[in-house]
Amino acid sequence: MSNIVTMIGRRIFLSLFILTLTSLIVFLGTEVLPGDALTATIPADEMAFYTEDQLAQMRAELGLDRSIPVRFFEVWHQLVTFDFGKTMVKREPVIDHIYHPMLNSAIMAGIALLVMLVIVITLGVLASLRSGKWLDTSITGATLFTYSMPDFVVSNIFVIVFAVWLGIVPAVIFAPTDAPALTILAAAILPVVALCVHGAAYQFRLLRAGMVEALNSDYVERARLAGIPSWRIAIKHALPSALIPMLNGTASFIAGLLAGSVVVEAVFKYPGAGGELLRAISQREIPTIQAIAFLAALAVVVSNLIADLAILALDPRVRMSARHG
């Protein structure tokens, strides 16, 4: 038991280190860009009317005159305490700017995750029950094709097909970030499907491989000899075992959601965190950039930690190896 607790403690410590390193990389990434928050918000023609002393005073008011380590430590302390501070120019709480965009992106990502799991489990069970047959070959070939398609290609194809040709849904929905839930859900239809196309293909290949291996195992063969129907064997006996290798892939899918959502949100004009992040980068709003990047990294770290704990709970081999160090 103590070895399991130690292993979980190591994972949590590693997660904290990853979050700190992510914050540092994002902070340094904004520092190497030309200019600063002041020059990004004041037009060049207007900048010419300010004297060097005035600019220096304005930079001091924004805290830009302090050293990089001091500024990073202040930002890092705010992030780990979930006090994201204020925007650099307007001095407004960062949380007010990112709350609704992050919530909208979380809604889209959550729906995409549920849709992906339903699609993957359904296709994985069907393909494994018809392993080597035309259904398995068709599904495998289709997922291999969709896996090779980037998110921005899928997004534009969906706009052309479903919005322009068929007219089923609007190409874009210009909704504010604080729009009602039904408006956000309507805006999320095409982005969710676009995000699932690429991710579901990879998850399907993991699940199918696990299902085929489980269906060829000895305990499944004994279940067949006992006269249990094939569909029941697949769902009750093979599927729980096949889900174990897919869990880490699901965590990777969540990380891909965060990366792909920036592109997908830009194509569909979805009022999520991607648009707010691009705006913050253009204006050099370091606290806002850090807050969004930190929350995204936190989501990835937590999802991987949950996947590790799920594998520990489902796979007795992992528990035995953890107990024996």
Side-chain angles (χ1 to χ4, degrees), residues 252-277:
S252 300
F253 173 74
I254 295 176
L257 281 178
L258 300 174
S261 63
V262 176
V263 177
V264 172
E265 288 177 8
V267 173
F268 294 105
K269 305 300 180 184
Y270 184 80
E276 186 65 24
L277 178 62

Side-chain angles (χ1 to χ4, degrees), residues 230-265:
S230 298
W231 64 269
R232 186 175 179 182
I233 292 175
I235 296 176
K236 186 176 180 179
H237 299 280
L239 183 59
S241 177
L243 286 174
I244 294 175
M246 198 187 81
L247 289 175
N248 284 329
T250 303
S252 300
F253 173 74
I254 295 176
L257 281 178
L258 300 174
S261 63
V262 176
V263 177
V264 172
E265 288 177 8

Side-chain angles (χ1 to χ4, degrees), residues 4-113:
I4 296 178
V5 174
T6 302
M7 184 183 71
I8 296 175
R10 285 200 302 265
R11 296 295 176 88
I12 295 176
F13 176 78
L14 180 61
S15 300
L16 294 175
F17 174 76
I18 292 174
L19 291 174
T20 302
L21 183 62
T22 300
S23 302
L24 177 61
I25 292 174
V26 173
F27 181 84
L28 295 178
T30 57
E31 287 295 321
V32 299
L33 294 175
D36 53 28
L38 187 63
T39 58
T41 53
I42 299 178
D45 54 349
E46 184 180 342
M47 184 74 69
F49 294 98
Y50 291 91
T51 65
E52 290 296 331
D53 292 338
Q54 289 175 325
L55 293 176
Q57 182 180 356
M58 295 171 68
R59 285 191 172 90
E61 293 175 353
L62 295 176
L64 298 175
D65 59 332
R66 290 172 294 179
S67 64
I68 291 178
V70 171
R71 282 187 285 134
F72 171 72
F73 178 77
E74 291 178 352
V75 171
W76 179 82
H77 182 265
Q78 290 176 341
L79 292 176
V80 296
T81 57
F82 293 95
D83 177 17
F84 300 124
K86 296 182 178 181
T87 58
M88 299 189 68
V89 177
K90 295 184 178 180
R91 309 307 297 170
E92 297 173 348
V94 172
I95 189 64
D96 292 343
H97 285 267
I98 68 173
Y99 174 75
H100 286 291
M102 292 296 295
L103 179 62
N104 295 340
S105 292
I107 291 174
M108 182 179 67
I111 297 174
L113 180 61

